[in-house]
Amino acid sequence: MPIVTTRSVVLQTFPFSDTSKILRLLTLDHGPQSVMARGALRPRSRLSGVLEPFADGVATFYFKPDRDLHTLSDFDLTRERQALGRDLQRYAAASVLCELVLRLAPAERDEELYRLLVRGLDALLEAIPGSVPGVALAACWSLVDVLGFAPDLSGCSRCGDDLSERPGRLDVREGSLVCGNCLPGGGTLPRAELNALRRLASGDPVGAAPSSRQVRLLVDFIRHHAAEGLRIRSLDFLLAEEVR
Ligand SMILES: [Zn+2]
């Protein structure tokens, strides 16, 4: 039974018994993995209070290649991020990042994904009040991008117009823009909203707080394009916290 030591982010935890818990991790070297932390809920465990969502550190576990659940032997904490849980907007966005990874991450090592997740969680933790919504949307779009679902915002996907004059809208199922001529109807984006979407989708947290419409665009895009029917529960939380 090989022992594996790898940097890991705690995506989700749930109790298994009165004394043990199960962790869903994104590991740097082995992609997403589930581990059992025996005794971690005992008050005197050295892991008590350490294995919380959004934390990252170096996990050591006994890796059983033919199993879905491995046994954690140690977790050397690099950064705890429990402060994210004290601010509902930050918590909602961090939960979306972790749930996207849980549902959509590839099974193998993905260093870029790991790096972006850590960077997104750090950005949420360090964002000054007022900048949280922009930081949250930029971090979510960046993760959507590295997961392989980036929208094509270059212009109308049907006629190629760059939408510098014509209004357009985001077709959340196709994952691209379409102009008002090619698909008449409501829901077109004003120029400022289209520019804000382009910046957020490129990972730029824009200066002013993004509109509630930008939150809705991200949520609809993930639901209908990236997740394709998979339920991402934390998106409801993001809407509740950010759409006023
Ligand atoms: Zn068009």
Side-chain angles (χ1 to χ4, degrees), residues 11-185:
L11 302 172
Q12 189 181 59
T13 75
F14 42 95
F16 176 77
S17 66
D18 288 346
T19 57
S20 299
K21 65 202 285 191
I22 290 175
L23 314 180
R24 306 289 302 277
L25 304 174
L26 178 68
T27 74
L28 174 60
D29 293 333
H30 301 278
Q33 297 290 343
S34 296
V35 298
M36 169 81 78
R38 293 189 196 285
L41 293 175
R42 291 186 203 279
R44 294 172 66 183
S45 166
R46 70 184 186 289
L47 295 177
S48 176
V50 169
L51 304 173
E52 298 299 329
F54 318 134
D56 79 283
V58 178
T60 300
F61 54 92
Y62 298 96
F63 185 76
K64 291 165 273 190
D66 54 339
R67 299 282 185 83
D68 292 332
L69 185 63
H70 314 291
T71 302
L72 187 77
S73 73
D74 201 7
F75 192 92
D76 187 8
L77 188 69
T78 302
R79 187 169 196 185
E80 59 96 2
R81 297 185 178 84
Q82 293 189 37
L84 288 171
R86 294 195 282 274
D87 178 298
L88 289 175
Q89 283 187 338
R90 292 174 212 256
Y91 180 77
S95 298
V96 170
L97 295 181
C98 287
E99 197 174 354
L100 285 174
V101 171
L102 270 172
R103 302 273 180 234
L104 302 173
E108 61 275 12
R109 174 187 166 98
D110 187 334
E111 186 172 353
E112 177 76 355
L113 175 64
Y114 186 90
R115 197 173 58 76
L116 264 177
L117 176 62
V118 170
R119 187 200 286 174
L121 293 173
D122 281 342
L124 286 169
L125 197 61
E126 293 158 9
I128 56 171
S131 72
V132 174
V135 168
L137 290 185
C140 290
W141 278 119
S142 295
L143 206 66
V144 165
D145 183 3
V146 77
L147 287 166
F149 299 102
D152 177 3
L153 302 179
S154 58
C156 175
S157 61
R158 302 190 188 180
C159 70
D161 187 273
D162 67 2
L163 301 179
S164 59
E165 303 291 334
R166 287 183 213 166
R169 74 167 71 84
L170 180 63
D171 182 335
V172 293
R173 291 185 192 279
E174 293 297 321
S176 55
L177 294 172
V178 61
C179 78
N181 286 7
C182 291
L183 190 64

